[in-house]
Amino acid sequence: MAKQSVLGLYQNAEYAAEAGDALQAAGLTKDDYDFLTGAPYPEGAFGERHVSHRLYVFPFVGALCGLTAGILLTSMTQMAYPLVTGGKPILSLPPMAIVTYEGTMLGAILFTVLGILFESRLPRPSLGLYDDRITEGYIGVIVTCEDNQAGRVEQVLTQAGAVDVKRGEAS
Amino acid sequence: MANGNGHITPVEVDLTDQGITEHLSHKVFAFDRRLAYAMAGLGVLFILGIIGFVMRAVGDGFSDASRHEWGYYAAMFAFLLCTAGTAPLVAVAFRWTKNHWRRPLSRASEMFALVGILNLLWFIPLMALLPAIDLNGDGHLEVGVDRRTVWFEGPIGAPLWWDMAAMIGLVVCGLAILWVSARPDMSVVAARGSGWRAALMRKLAMGWQGTKRDWRRQQAFLAMLGGFYFMLLILVHTLVSLDFALSLVPGWKDSILAPHHALTGIQAAAGTVLVTIFVMRTWGGYGRYIGLDPFWAFSKVLLGLTLLWGYFWFSEFMTFWYGRDPTEQSVIKLVMFESYRTAFLLNFFFSFVIPFGLLLWNGVRKSVLGPTIAGASVIIGAFFMMVRLYVPAFNIRDVGAHSIADFEAGVGQAIPSQLLPVTPDVWDVFIILGGLSGTALIFLLGTRLLPVMSMWETKEGLLYMLVRPLLKGRYMVLGKPD
């Protein structure tokens, strides 16, 4: 069955939070709806589900790759050109420090940028259901539901105080 | 706004989400005659800078023999790194500490990341001017023949390509911070405008909706990228100061130069952001967003940085002066007390004496103009510091010598010719003007694409801000989300 998106628009943030409760009471789960805001509200302000992430994995992997590349490059260079400088060992850490640090940083940054694109599912071909009034302080409650539930969802959102309700194909 | 009891209510309390969206989107698209004149003037100066660069390149070329002609160019590069290149750190740092007063200045400081592109281009000719480590190319490093650098004998591409890679990393990281931070505002600008700018913003916003997931990821990525920017910035300051100043002066060994350079950058970046928000508040039409709070709070940070600057300079000076080593004596004579005495005195006066003398007073800190003057002062001080570090370093031809103390003065000369001060010629002046105007021009061009005031952060601030009565006064109550 095709999925539908229903967007309820609220002038008052409290009504939007209550809409979330009403949707749960109507049998939807917290994974079925989300809140669209023009500013980041504190976590849990709408009683929404906790959004966990593992974004730190990207820079961590990137940093490991960069560090490995840096260590390999410096140590192999020193092995290939074994010049004894100032009586120090051929493989000594100070000359390797800058390159490995820089490699680590560059790897971490590169993977973080890739992580942003991947984790945010970018680029998004279409914006999905949206209303510009959200940029003016309105709160959007967007619900993804089965086709046959859309009518009931619209009713719940309206009863919760939505000033406008829109429906469209789920993206 | 005073509430009658001497307490200050921030100007932001009168704002609304709708008002913020309308006003700041309008500012991006509206034609402003004063801004157009300013951009035209800056454009002319920037073209002069390009002319200066071309004339210098055609006349002198890029070789070891002509390196001494490029001292002011190198100083200008370091100055841009200290000001515009370091400015995004201000947004990063105060976002980490979750200050409310940072909101009016976050975007302004991030927008300087755009100037990183100019800085990157500025760096390319410097790569051609930096001498090799193995000066005679015999595959061995020898004291007194080859250069002593932080790179020792390896690896491939050192120092040029590693310096370049660090610069590219810094610029990419800065632009990524700007993009991640500005995506919500880009979507607003795209929705409210028309034409190519709106189309470009729509593409760059990449379908931003403002879901809880969007916001959560944005905060996480900003925190991570901010950390990397800070770590890379310190590296770039270290590499630039060691490769383009210290290692070009035979015998100069100084462990605090790189930290002092980075600190000067952070201090100058603070000054840059303060002056920028002053201009925005006074002439840019952003007075309703920028109250006294950012100036008052930031002035304390600037005072701390100024005190640190004094301490770092004293540590640098003290070991050289007290050690009585001939090389170290020659170095401090070169960069502080003899050849570049004027530049040093101006540096010390503007980086330490003026800001310290001003910001010491509570009345000055608790004003808009006082911290701005102190901010402008540290920018000027940073410029003269870069002049006294890089111009003498680039003037030394015999970079493989054991020590500059061994340089001999010519007949009738008190100071060896390589250690004599270099005064800027007309092309140097053009290049300096070009660098300054290019920075301002790129920043202003950025304001034609993006709101220079972060909409989402300003709106977020309103969520946590309230003015409530208490007994006979009215006071601001600030919430803290976590």
Side-chain angles (χ1 to χ4, degrees):
Chain A
M1 196 175 285
K3 290 268 186 185
Q4 288 274 310
S5 282
V6 183
L7 175 69
L9 207 59
Y10 296 85
Q11 204 164 7
N12 189 319
E14 282 175 29
Y15 291 164
E18 282 165 17
D21 296 338
L23 287 167
Q24 283 188 66
L28 281 96
T29 67
K30 286 185 175 182
D31 291 332
D32 295 328
Y33 63 91
D34 204 343
F35 296 88
L36 308 184
T37 57
Y41 277 70
E43 204 166 327
F46 294 105
E48 75 278 13
R49 71 185 194 283
H50 172 73
V51 185
S52 60
H53 70 75
R54 291 184 181 170
L55 304 178
Y56 52 83
V57 171
F58 290 93
F60 185 71
V61 170
L64 270 183
C65 292
L67 177 71
T68 310
I71 289 173
L72 282 176
L73 180 65
T74 46
S75 55
M76 286 165 76
T77 308
Q78 291 182 44
M79 301 283 268
Y81 300 93
L83 301 172
V84 178
T85 308
K88 299 288 187 295
I90 295 294
L91 279 179
S92 48
L93 288 178
M96 298 164 75
I98 296 177
V99 175
T100 47
Y101 179 84
E102 188 172 329
T104 309
M105 285 292 98
L106 293 177
I109 290 168
L110 185 67
F111 272 65
T112 306
V113 173
L114 292 175
I116 295 168
L117 298 175
F118 179 77
E119 276 291 321
S120 306
R121 310 286 188 264
L122 297 178
R124 284 180 201 154
S126 65
L127 184 61
L129 207 50
Y130 192 71
D131 192 294
D132 287 343
R133 281 173 286 182
I134 291 166
T135 67
E136 296 169 0
Y138 285 63
I139 311 292
V141 179
I142 190 157
V143 187
T144 306
C145 59
E146 300 297 339
D147 224 353
N148 58 359
Q149 288 179 301
R152 171 75 186 126
V153 168
E154 277 184 345
Q155 198 181 1
V156 171
L157 293 176
T158 308
Q159 280 172 352
V163 292
D164 201 359
V165 178
K166 293 176 173 182
R167 197 198 288 202
E169 285 288 315
S171 55
Chain B
M1 187 194 316
N3 67 2
N5 293 333
H7 295 276
I8 307 295
T9 303
V11 290
E12 301 95 295
V13 294
D14 295 329
L15 298 172
T16 62
D17 281 14
Q18 190 177 0
I20 292 167
T21 302
E22 280 174 6
H23 180 244
L24 292 179
S25 328
H26 174 75
K27 292 284 283 180
V28 172
F29 292 102
F31 176 76
D32 184 334
R33 190 179 298 276
R34 279 189 307 178
L35 190 64
Y37 285 144
M39 286 169 74
L42 291 168
V44 170
L45 289 175
F46 188 52
I47 290 167
L48 275 185
I50 294 172
I51 292 170
F53 171 77
V54 171
M55 294 307 289
R56 172 69 76 227
V58 171
D60 301 306
F62 305 98
S63 65
D64 280 350
S66 67
R67 190 170 51 250
H68 63 281
E69 301 285 359
W70 292 91
Y72 282 93
Y73 180 86
M76 198 59 207
F77 164 76
F79 175 69
L80 291 181
L81 175 67
C82 284
T83 49
T86 311
L89 189 66
V90 172
V92 166
F94 296 132
R95 230 179 241 140
W96 276 345
T97 50
K98 299 181 190 292
N99 303 63
H100 277 293
W101 55 264
R102 68 156 210 277
R103 298 180 196 283
L105 52 85
S106 288
R107 178 62 47 74
S109 63
E110 285 164 353
M111 290 260 273
F112 279 104
L114 294 171
V115 185
I117 298 165
L118 174 69
N119 223 10
L120 198 57
L121 295 173
W122 203 283
F123 183 72
I124 294 168
L126 288 176
M127 292 174 69
L129 290 162
L130 191 64
I133 298 173
D134 183 8
L135 286 174
N136 57 7
D138 63 355
H140 296 280
L141 294 179
E142 231 177 301
V143 175
V145 177
D146 299 309
R147 290 200 308 129
R148 279 174 291 178
T149 73
V150 74
W151 299 95
F152 303 88
E153 64 271 16
I156 300 160
L160 296 177
W161 292 104
W162 288 97
D163 287 351
M164 187 57 160
M167 275 297 296
I168 291 173
L170 186 73
V171 172
V172 168
C173 192
L175 291 174
I177 289 174
L178 176 62
W179 175 62
V180 172
S181 163
R183 269 183 74 209
D185 293 352
M186 285 172 173
S187 76
V188 176
V189 170
R192 298 200 151 241
S194 58
W196 68 270
R197 283 186 284 173
L200 177 65
M201 287 301 104
R202 189 169 297 112
K203 281 205 171 73
L204 287 173
M206 288 191 177
W208 174 270
Q209 273 190 305
T211 62
K212 296 298 286 186
R213 180 190 164 93
D214 281 343
W215 288 116
R216 182 109 170 90
R217 270 154 182 67
Q218 188 217 32
Q219 308 294 318
F221 280 126
L222 280 178
M224 284 191 276
L225 287 169
F228 298 140
Y229 194 83
F230 177 66
M231 293 165 81
L232 208 51
L233 183 74
I234 298 300
L235 176 75
V236 170
H237 273 287
T238 304
L239 295 183
V240 167
S241 59
L242 297 187
D243 282 337
F244 292 90
L246 185 131
S247 71
L248 294 178
V249 180
W252 189 3
K253 297 183 287 291
D254 188 354
S255 59
I256 207 167
L257 177 75
H260 194 191
H261 197 281
L263 175 73
T264 306
I266 295 169
Q267 188 199 27
T272 305
V273 174
L274 269 169
V275 171
T276 305
I277 60 168
F278 176 80
V279 172
M280 284 163 57
R281 182 186 199 267
T282 311
W283 296 291
Y286 294 97
R288 71 182 78 168
Y289 307 98
I290 309 171
L292 178 63
D293 255 7
F295 293 94
W296 188 11
F298 210 170
S299 67
K300 295 167 197 166
V301 178
L302 188 57
L303 177 60
L305 290 170
T306 300
L307 288 168
L308 264 181
W309 193 95
Y311 170 62
F312 274 41
W313 170 79
F314 185 73
S315 305
E316 187 181 11
F317 157 76
M318 194 55 170
T319 45
F320 278 26
W321 180 80
Y322 199 77
R324 295 287 161 190
D325 176 86
T327 301
E328 291 175 349
Q329 293 291 303
S330 300
V331 168
I332 56 172
K333 278 182 188 171
L334 177 67
V335 299
M336 288 183 201
F337 301 123
E338 221 165 61
S339 305
Y340 286 83
R341 182 171 44 210
T342 310
F344 166 69
L345 289 175
L346 289 168
N347 171 206
F348 191 78
F349 190 68
F350 284 110
S351 287
F352 183 72
V353 178
I354 288 189
F356 178 65
L358 282 175
L359 298 175
L360 197 60
W361 307 101
N362 195 34
V364 177
R365 287 200 304 271
K366 198 176 170 181
S367 70
V368 171
L369 199 57
T372 307
I373 294 171
S377 173
V378 298
I379 296 173
I380 298 168
F383 175 76
F384 285 109
M385 177 160 164
M386 297 309 127
V387 166
R388 75 176 174 87
L389 290 181
Y390 291 90
V391 179
F394 267 59
N395 194 38
I396 288 173
R397 277 77 153 181
D398 193 6
V399 291
H402 182 70
S403 161
I404 57 168
D406 301 338
F407 291 174
E408 287 179 9
V411 179
Q413 281 185 324
I415 301 173
S417 60
Q418 294 185 62
L419 306 182
L420 283 171
V422 177
T423 46
D425 63 13
V426 66
W427 305 133
D428 289 326
V429 174
F430 278 17
I431 287 170
I432 291 167
L433 287 175
L436 296 172
S437 57
T439 301
L441 183 63
I442 292 171
F443 187 90
L444 289 181
L445 285 172
T447 65
R448 301 288 79 199
L449 289 172
L450 275 175
V452 72
M453 189 69 56
S454 174
M455 288 191 208
W456 67 267
E457 280 185 288
T458 311
K459 291 174 189 172
E460 186 192 29
L462 297 181
L463 294 175
Y464 303 116
M465 200 180 287
L466 199 64
V467 175
R468 291 189 64 178
L470 177 71
L471 303 177
K472 293 184 178 178
R474 287 175 64 78
Y475 301 87
M476 186 176 69
V477 182
L478 272 175
K480 206 165 166 56
D482 46 23

